[in-house]
Amino acid sequence: MELTGLIAYVIFFLSLAGVYALLALGLNVQWGYTGMLNIGIAAFFAVGAYTSAILTSPPTAVPGGFGLPIPVGLISAMLVAGVLALFIGLITLNLRTDYLAIASIGIAEIVRLFLKNEEWLTNGVRGMSGIPKPFSGLVPGADALLFLGVVVALVLLVYWANQRAYGSPWGRVLRAIREKEVAASAMGKYTLLFRLQAFVYGSCIMGLAGAVYAHFVGFISPEAFDPLFATFLVWVMLIAGGSGNNRGAILGAVAIWTVWSLTEFLTTRIATEHFSLSQLAAMRVFMIGLLLQVILLLRPQGILPEVPPKPIRDADK
Amino acid sequence: MVTEVLQLIIYGVIYGSIVALGAVGVSLTFGVLRFANFAHGDLMTFGAYMVLAAYVGFALPMWLSVIVALAMTASLAVLIDQTLFRRFRRANPMILLISSFGVGLMVRSLVQIIWGGSTQVYDPGIQFPYQFWGLRIRPDHLIILGGTLVLVVVLHLFLQKTRMGKAMRAMADNPDLARISGINTDRVIIWTWIMGASLAAAAGYFLALDSRLQPDMGWFILLPVFAAAILGGIGKPYGAIAGGFIIGITEELSTLILSPAYKPAVAFALMVAILIFRPTGIFKGAR
């Protein structure tokens, strides 16, 4: 009995870590490859989750869905998140990167307000429940394990796509933009277009992560897309794992998700009678914030630093 | 109808004062240090709670509590700068922005650890508004308006008349030129934090007077504050003041046609419009 409980927890834990790995992989293309600051990850994550939830929920659910198959939900989630990214990108990408950061918190705030207030579509603060789960009941008792399989497959797929992009001429241009945008455009690259593509691609992955999250948990409400969980943790994960390194992004997601779960264990151990739940929650946030500063100070390149592909030297011989 | 619009404009000016004071700090730190400080809203929160600590905790008179809060918030900002931001300055400036985002969360959670997550007020009870020509204004609102006026005058004198203020403006205009003309840039940076954080603390106090204290009050006002700073031309303190009032009045007037829930969206829409049509802001700031 103990063992089955533990296995169930491990599956649950790994599935959520997988969702975060997708978010970190998306951010890696935007920040790690191209050096663009997205402080509104929560917006793309939430939009993806709600898009898929609304499209795949049965029409009988509150506030009503379209009952479409789950793959349609996942693809639509990516599309809607991508369109949102295109909109922000077109406005801010020709300005300093700081403006993108500021505009991205703006969009995150508007998405949050929209989800809270447009009850006819999102059921407001009460959230949406009964979001369908893939493979449910296919093999009795193995629902969670099958879902984990889907998550792992998606992480591997995105990892593969990111790796291909990194080594490709397209990825080279992105890294050139990150290092010196003027130089990249002097080489004849239309850097704006590349940045827009990278921003939209990364945001699509975040939308996908949102959809996976919605189908995993089965219930979403605006609270789940708090900037703390949906934006800050992802940043800490990518920076801890290693910006620019896709394996680092995945490793960081698992490592920081482990640390975050351990802080819960820690804070409940220390004198629960002296502190309220909100104070204990704040202590966990404080610890993660401190961890980020320590990493930035001591190992800014992360656990697995970026490994740029070796230059091809055909002139040597 | 006219009274209603006038009433909204009054509320807009009050809210605009708070946004303006916040935006000046953002604009100063941006001008001198070249990064958007995402912890600025949380410095406002910290200031508001410091007033609470001095006023309710130590039972000091209100004016003294505010001075204590300004000093404490300025010290916190200098402490953060010297322990963290100073070390990131030579690296990629984007690292500073990420670090400040984390610092903001730390300050916010510290406030929540000490004072808890529930809302609080300085003085319990209801204030009766003054009425004239059908318009209403609370005594607290007069404190906000008067306080803002005093602070803006002090800021103006500081920037125009003192050597430090002039050095600050020079560094915001051209950091390299400022350095080679013998300005002690480290001292300017410290003074930028002192000014920016004091104004943030005052803004936080006013924000708490206008509504109430809450650990994430500063985070939620960060968007209008940034919008005001961009509107006024980022790096231009006077522009930020104008931007703050424009944002405040527009947000309040928008409630005539939009749901009040979408007020922050109005600030964002104004910011987007200015980014598209005049990215340097009304007063031509740094691009």
Side-chain angles (χ1 to χ4, degrees), chain B residues 46-85:
Chain B
F46 185 78
Y49 274 89
M50 278 292 132
V51 175
L52 184 78
Y55 181 65
V56 178
F58 290 91
L60 298 179
M62 190 48 113
W63 63 270
L64 191 59
S65 307
V66 174
I67 292 173
V68 168
L70 261 58
M72 295 297 286
T73 312
S75 315
L76 177 73
V78 173
L79 180 76
I80 293 169
D81 182 72
Q82 292 299 305
T83 48
L84 289 173
F85 294 163

Side-chain angles (χ1 to χ4, degrees), chain A residues 5 8 25 39 42 45 48 63-64 70 85 106 137 150 168 176 188 191 220 230 282:
Chain A
L25 285 169
I39 311 282
F45 188 48
I70 289 173
V150 174
S168 74
T191 56
I220 49 173

Side-chain angles (χ1 to χ4, degrees), chain B residues 204-224:
Chain B
Y205 164 60
F206 293 153
L207 183 62
L209 274 188
D210 190 33
S211 49
R212 46 192 76 213
L213 292 127
Q214 223 186 318
D216 47 14
M217 57 193 271
W219 170 252
F220 282 126
I221 205 177
L222 190 64
L223 180 60

Side-chain angles (χ1 to χ4, degrees), chain A residues 9 12-13 229 256-270 272 277 280-281 283-285 287-288:
Chain A
Y9 180 75
F12 171 83
F13 176 89
F229 301 111
I256 296 299
W257 187 237
T258 310
V259 172
W260 177 249
S261 308
L262 282 178
T263 58
E264 182 174 20
F265 184 71
L266 260 177
T267 47
T268 45
R269 277 298 160 97
I270 51 162
T272 337
L277 278 177
L280 292 174
M283 278 178 209
R284 298 174 66 192
V285 180
M287 283 188 250
I288 288 287

Side-chain angles (χ1 to χ4, degrees), chain B residues 109-141:
Chain B
S109 39
L110 197 66
V111 165
Q112 198 167 329
I113 292 169
I114 300 172
W115 287 279
S118 51
T119 58
Q120 303 192 48
V121 288
Y122 296 128
D123 289 302
I126 304 163
Q127 277 195 330
F128 288 99
Y130 302 124
Q131 303 245 5
F132 52 98
W133 306 303
L135 298 171
R136 294 176 310 277
I137 188 158
R138 290 206 323 252
D140 278 349
H141 288 155

